[in-house]
Amino acid sequence: MADQGCSSLVSCSGLEIRVRRLNIEAKRFENVSTYELRSPSTYMTVKEPFIHVTTVDDSVITLKLEGDKIFPYFSDQAARSGQSHLALPGSSIILATDKETSVVGLWNPPKRRNRYSADVMFEVELPVSMIRLRFAAVRPIWQPRAKLPGVLRYGTDRRKDQDILGNGVDGSLRQFTLISEAAWRLLRFVQNLCTRSDKVCPYGDRLNRRNHIEPRAELPRFKHVNGDILARLLEPRLGASMLRELLRAESSSRSSGEAAPDFDTPVARYERFGALADDLFGAPSKDPVADTMDYLGKLLEPIF
């Protein structure tokens, strides 16, 4: 159950969404409208005039209340076993979790390709499923959230300075940060380099190491940057020297007979890395490696 405005309540039980409005003269709530879902709900939030509902079989469905009627507004393109969701304030983006350990970013564009389908912006594959996503102010007051280029913030209230945290079914907590395309391209470029290294990813499979270094955007899952992999570069045994080594390393495809990836020479690889760093930081960098490592240190700074 959730409140909507000053005099309405929205409740969800089983397949039914019901809106009740307070009749001041009669001093009781009266039924205004109902809507029947296709599968039982697991979680609901309300942001007037929208009602966001996570369901067992249909991911997230957004309904709109106009007057005394509820009608579908948009929903996920795919049928997922929904777990929870988080609507980002001041935007048309909803983060949705499911029982298959995924987190997807759904965007309701001004002009939808399908009448009720939202676009899937990105898909995150995690080791465990997230039970809940929420904004949280967990940083100490002497360690505020750094203002970094490429880090997106939503809303105009206190939440814009809070972090997005997820509660896993195993009791773990995970932090989620939304970034711009320029930040994604640079960080994913570095991640793709890391997955090709035995020193950074000693247990990575060989399929990942044949991936192109240049970030690809064909599938939503490619829009995910794995902070756990990038955090390994911040370990004392690796650091900036490791990133320089990855950029200057000769390709192993020449000796192994594998297909050569893009930017297969140290010169081409370093030039592309520098261009991506310039796009993110907004100006030519004298030392893009040092600037990127400093950026990673602030972005991945522990918040607990």
Side-chain angles (χ1 to χ4, degrees):
M1 182 176 291
D3 63 280
Q4 184 178 51
C6 301
S7 59
S8 298
L9 290 176
V10 182
S11 62
C12 184
S13 177
L15 298 175
E16 186 180 69
I17 301 289
R18 184 181 296 272
V19 178
R20 296 180 176 90
R21 188 167 296 156
L22 178 63
N23 186 324
I24 298 178
E25 295 181 356
K27 296 182 179 180
R28 67 181 181 184
F29 282 95
E30 298 178 346
N31 292 330
V32 174
S33 183
T34 60
Y35 183 87
E36 187 169 340
L37 303 169
R38 291 184 297 182
S39 60
S41 62
T42 60
Y43 188 64
M44 178 187 71
T45 59
V46 176
K47 183 66 174 179
E48 195 173 6
F50 299 111
I51 303 171
H52 308 292
V53 186
T54 296
T55 64
V56 172
D57 296 325
D58 299 307
S59 187
V60 175
I61 299 174
T62 294
L63 309 172
K64 188 174 183 180
L65 177 63
E66 286 191 352
D68 295 341
K69 294 184 178 180
I70 301 175
F71 62 90
Y73 193 64
F74 70 89
S75 63
D76 194 349
Q77 296 178 359
R80 310 176 199 269
S81 55
Q83 188 89 289
S84 183
H85 67 262
L86 178 67
L88 302 183
S91 74
S92 300
I93 300 175
I94 294 180
L95 305 183
T97 73
D98 60 35
K99 296 179 181 178
E100 279 71 47
T101 73
S102 295
V103 178
V104 296
L106 304 177
W107 176 48
N108 176 34
K111 295 182 179 180
R112 292 190 287 259
R113 288 176 294 180
N114 298 318
R115 184 177 180 184
Y116 295 120
S117 295
D119 291 347
V120 180
M121 299 176 61
F122 56 83
E123 182 174 359
V124 180
E125 298 176 354
L126 299 173
V128 297
S129 178
M130 295 290 104
I131 301 174
R132 287 288 183 271
L133 296 175
R134 65 192 67 202
F135 287 99
V138 295
R139 296 176 182 266
I141 58 175
W142 59 86
Q143 185 183 318
R145 186 178 183 183
K147 295 182 179 180
L148 299 174
V151 176
L152 305 182
R153 302 186 181 193
Y154 291 92
T156 57
D157 58 6
R158 57 185 175 82
R159 289 183 175 178
K160 69 178 181 179
D161 292 323
Q162 296 182 358
D163 295 283
I164 300 176
L165 301 183
N167 301 87
V169 295
D170 61 349
S172 62
L173 284 176
R174 292 182 178 272
Q175 178 189 1
F176 297 88
T177 303
L178 275 70
I179 56 178
S180 66
E181 182 175 354
W184 165 72
R185 289 195 176 278
L186 175 62
L187 298 180
R188 185 73 193 202
F189 187 92
V190 175
Q191 177 182 323
N192 290 344
L193 285 174
C194 292
T195 57
R196 300 176 65 84
S197 169
D198 289 327
K199 295 180 180 179
V200 183
C201 297
Y203 304 108
D205 58 77
R206 295 186 64 81
L207 178 61
N208 284 334
R209 299 178 190 182
R210 289 198 296 271
N211 282 349
H212 284 256
I213 302 174
E214 179 70 16
R216 291 182 166 185
E218 292 92 341
L219 298 176
R221 63 185 177 88
F222 293 156
K223 295 291 188 71
H224 172 216
V225 176
N226 193 324
D228 291 338
I229 293 178
L230 297 180
R232 297 172 191 171
L233 284 178
L234 299 176
E235 297 177 4
R237 65 184 182 89
L238 299 178
S241 60
M242 186 69 241
L243 181 54
R244 296 184 196 278
E245 180 180 326
L246 294 175
L247 290 168
R248 295 170 178 170
E250 294 291 342
S251 174
S252 60
S253 61
R254 300 176 184 177
S255 58
S256 63
E258 297 176 353
D262 48 4
F263 307 107
D264 198 34
T265 65
V267 174
R269 199 178 306 127
Y270 197 89
E271 287 181 353
R272 180 54 178 162
F273 172 77
L276 293 175
D278 292 346
D279 288 342
L280 175 59
F281 301 131
S285 172
K286 296 181 179 179
D287 189 347
V289 172
D291 290 342
T292 300
M293 292 300 298
D294 180 67
Y295 182 81
L296 283 177
K298 295 176 181 177
L299 181 65
L300 302 177
E301 185 178 35
I303 61 177
F304 302 111

